[in-house]
Amino acid sequence: QKAQIGVTGLAVMGRNLARNFARHGHTVAVHNRSYGRTKELVEEFGHEGTFLPAETAEQFVASLERPRRVVIMVKAGPATDAVIDEFAPLLEEGDMLIDAGNAHFADTRRREAALKEQGLHFVGTGVSGGEEGALHGPSIMPGGSKESYQALGPLLEDISAKVDGEPCCVHVGPDGAGHFVKMVHNGIEYADMQLIAEAYDLLRQVGGHTPAEIAEVFQGWNEGRLGSYLIEITAEVLKQTDAATGKPFVDVVVDRAEQKGTGRWTVQAALDLGVPVSGIAESVFARALSGGADVRDAAASAGLPGPGASAGLHAGDLVADVEQALFASKIVAYAQGFQQVQAASAEYGWDIDPGAMAKIWRAGCIIRAKFLDFIKQAYDKQPALPTLLVDEYFLDAVSGAQDAWRRVVVTAAQQGIPAPGFSSALAYYDGLRAKRLPAALIQGQRDFFGAHTYQRVDKPGAFHTLWAAENRPEVDA
Ligand code: NDP
């Protein structure tokens, strides 16, 4: 008996993916660097399906039907290279190595190119949904060749999450496309979480509501257009009481947000592409600010002043306004993330269908939400949509949010409550809609000091002004 698929790397993610394949009736070869995990998996979960445990890489490879499909689920980075180096020589032309870990897309591009020379398919695959998703149905974002998807796609679709029977798995595009899109998914997740956190903070500090009351507000929002996994779990976290102290759970947690790095990668990639993902960037920087204990301590002891007693109260229905601000800012963050995917797709020749991304993120992953249906519809209507903000549904939503969104940002500024996500989303939005930007002045400055030239509004070409020498500020030698 041969296995249809093999999984090497049997920590939480690999083990659960292997079980998911087995539960779907596939025979699964299982392997791990240290045999203990393999044995444990078969002992504990062997009854769930058919596993072929292998102690060595050679046994593992021999137990797979051809073309071989080897899923690698190990620690991202050098461990992945080590596993590739171990397995590639044992494989034959047409076999597939599927990296389902959180690799950087540039590594995936490098590995794919190298393995292609050996006639092997390397399939960098984004997998979202954590431990539970891996077991019950993740959102799966495979890159690699079209040919590899033909042999692999049906198995991945089988174990993926489903929406109305449709799998949350699609061939994203060649080489690193899958890992790129997974990275942006995580970046969007950062922005979403930051915006939700700001909404909570405003309701608490401006509105004076307790965490339990805010949990109820979130539960209500979860029934509406904001309905999503993140809003749902936020309500759960806010409801939680600390058993030891009886205090709200959020009040006993140290307010320093950690990160594993995919948000940072998203922003780094966006800087290279020149795409303004300010929402994701603000959320990465907000985590960094929260974690900068030394600077925060210094600021606290210096007593950086805040607004005076005359700072304005919030004019309007705070809860309703914050809902509008949250929704509008969320639209901006997603618009920026999708724009980044489209820019990368153009840069690397990936031909990614952004609507298909929205479709496979509707279940299984952390950002799953009703909202993604509207994104899918927007791209179905207009595949080359330059930004989600001009789609009818989103345009209506941000139009309806105008006054509330601005009131919330004003209140935050007046009362000295940090709301970088809300305010930068609004600044980005106002930047897009501005008829004239002060970028014209920046062009003038660049031409003045560096003769970088500028374009004119009234005729084509590159122009340089001979700035009068006597007008130049004197520079001390
Ligand atoms: P870990 O990232 O903790 O990695 C542990 C596994 O990697 C073990 O099987 C370990 O083998 C193996 N390993 C480490 N170094 C080597 C090496 N040099 N050679 C061979 N094997 C090695 O496991 P997770 O299950 O948490 O995650 C697996 C991958 O999935 C990671 O890339 C992660 O980023 C990604 N991922 C994780 C998610 C999550 O929610 N945890 C969600 C989505 C993706 P041994 O037992 O012998 O030490």
Side-chain angles (χ1 to χ4, degrees):
Q1 188 190 13
K2 297 259 181 182
Q4 279 95 52
I5 193 143
V7 179
T8 181
L10 301 173
V12 276
M13 289 296 288
R15 179 181 61 195
N16 282 357
L17 270 188
R19 291 172 61 197
N20 193 348
F21 280 119
R23 288 173 172 199
H24 279 85
H26 303 291
T27 300
V28 191
V30 284
H31 172 265
N32 192 67
R33 176 176 61 177
S34 42
Y35 187 59
R37 286 197 202 266
T38 315
K39 233 173 83 191
E40 236 175 72
L41 163 62
V42 177
E43 276 167 14
E44 256 183 84
F45 305 106
H47 61 277
E48 292 182 353
T50 313
F51 296 98
L52 305 181
E55 219 169 325
T56 66
E58 289 78 7
Q59 281 171 4
F60 177 71
V61 167
S63 68
L64 288 162
E65 68 177 36
R66 297 217 48 211
R68 298 186 183 89
R69 306 174 188 95
V70 176
V71 176
I72 304 171
M73 208 30 156
V74 300
K75 210 170 188 60
T80 307
D81 284 312
V83 172
I84 293 172
D85 290 345
E86 186 179 7
F87 281 94
L90 304 175
L91 298 174
E92 294 167 275
E93 196 166 336
D95 287 352
M96 284 156 258
L97 272 171
I98 301 121
D99 177 16
N102 269 336
H104 191 281
F105 77 98
D107 286 333
T108 303
R109 284 167 65 79
R110 166 177 62 78
R111 290 166 182 152
E112 200 264 350
L115 289 166
K116 197 190 269 176
E117 294 197 350
Q118 300 177 38
L120 300 179
H121 295 284
F122 184 71
V123 185
T125 301
V127 176
S128 179
E131 221 176 304
E132 283 299 295
L135 182 60
H136 300 293
S139 172
I140 310 181
M141 295 151 253
S145 65
K146 272 197 183 130
E147 206 184 328
S148 64
Y149 194 79
Q150 280 174 0
L152 178 67
L155 275 104
L156 297 182
E157 289 177 14
D158 228 18
I159 64 154
S160 75
K162 310 282 182 310
V163 177
D164 305 328
E166 284 190 83
C168 291
C169 173
V170 76
H171 180 229
V172 177
D175 60 80
H179 275 140
F180 187 91
V181 159
K182 166 72 201 302
M183 176 188 78
V184 175
H185 164 282
N186 285 25
I188 291 176
E189 177 186 312
Y190 272 57
D192 223 334
M193 291 166 73
Q194 173 66 22
L195 294 172
I196 291 171
E198 290 177 22
Y200 148 78
D201 203 24
L202 286 157
L203 294 177
R204 187 132 187 218
Q205 295 208 55
V206 179
H209 300 291
T210 64
E213 286 165 358
I214 301 170
E216 275 175 40
V217 171
F218 277 96
Q219 267 171 342
W221 287 352
N222 196 41
E223 300 303 314
R225 60 186 183 167
L226 279 166
S228 61
Y229 173 71
L230 281 171
I231 292 279
E232 188 187 325
I233 65 161
T234 300
E236 293 301 321
V237 174
L238 290 173
K239 259 196 270 176
Q240 186 77 9
T241 309
D242 175 52
T245 59
K247 289 184 185 165
F249 168 81
V250 277
D251 289 351
V252 301
V253 177
V254 173
D255 60 344
R256 281 185 229 131
E258 297 179 13
Q259 45 182 321
K260 287 214 269 182
T262 40
R264 184 172 63 231
W265 283 356
T266 310
V267 179
Q268 285 168 339
L271 289 172
D272 289 338
L273 290 163
V275 181
V277 291
S278 49
I280 299 172
E282 285 298 346
S283 61
V284 175
F285 287 142
R287 288 197 194 188
L289 185 150
S290 79
D294 292 355
V295 187
R296 287 178 70 190
D297 287 348
S301 31
L304 297 189
S310 63
L313 294 175
H314 185 77
D317 176 343
L318 182 71
V319 173
D321 281 2
V322 170
E323 195 268 350
Q324 292 279 4
L326 177 55
F327 197 63
S329 304
K330 177 174 165 126
I331 292 171
V332 166
Y334 278 67
Q336 293 174 339
F338 274 82
Q339 197 190 335
Q340 183 176 2
V341 168
Q342 285 176 294
S345 178
E347 170 77 15
Y348 300 113
W350 285 336
D351 199 22
I352 296 176
D353 169 6
M357 294 308 104
K359 187 176 148 191
I360 65 169
W361 290 343
R362 290 181 305 167
C365 63
I366 305 297
I367 65 169
R368 60 185 184 257
K370 285 176 209 160
F371 186 73
L372 288 157
D373 275 325
F374 295 107
I375 298 184
K376 179 183 177 301
Q377 284 161 19
Y379 285 112
D380 282 350
K381 268 187 282 176
Q382 207 182 325
L385 198 63
T387 167
L388 281 173
L389 282 160
V390 300
D391 169 75
E392 206 183 332
Y393 173 80
F394 297 110
L395 188 59
D396 268 6
V398 289
S399 304
Q402 282 306 299
D403 293 359
W405 194 5
R406 292 174 196 283
R407 275 195 298 269
V408 169
V409 171
V410 166
T411 297
Q414 282 187 324
Q415 301 202 14
I417 297 163
F422 286 176
S423 46
S424 96
L426 184 58
Y428 171 86
Y429 175 79
D430 281 334
L432 280 192
R433 52 178 282 282
K435 288 211 174 60
R436 286 281 293 164
L437 287 167
L441 177 58
I442 292 173
Q443 285 297 80
Q445 294 163 336
R446 295 177 70 249
D447 191 60
F448 191 106
F449 65 67
H452 292 304
T453 76
Y454 53 87
Q455 291 175 305
R456 294 184 54 95
V457 294
D458 51 1
K459 49 185 173 185
F463 295 87
H464 169 55
T465 293
L466 293 172
W467 299 95
E470 62 269 24
N471 289 343
R472 289 174 186 268
E474 273 184 38
V475 181
D476 285 339

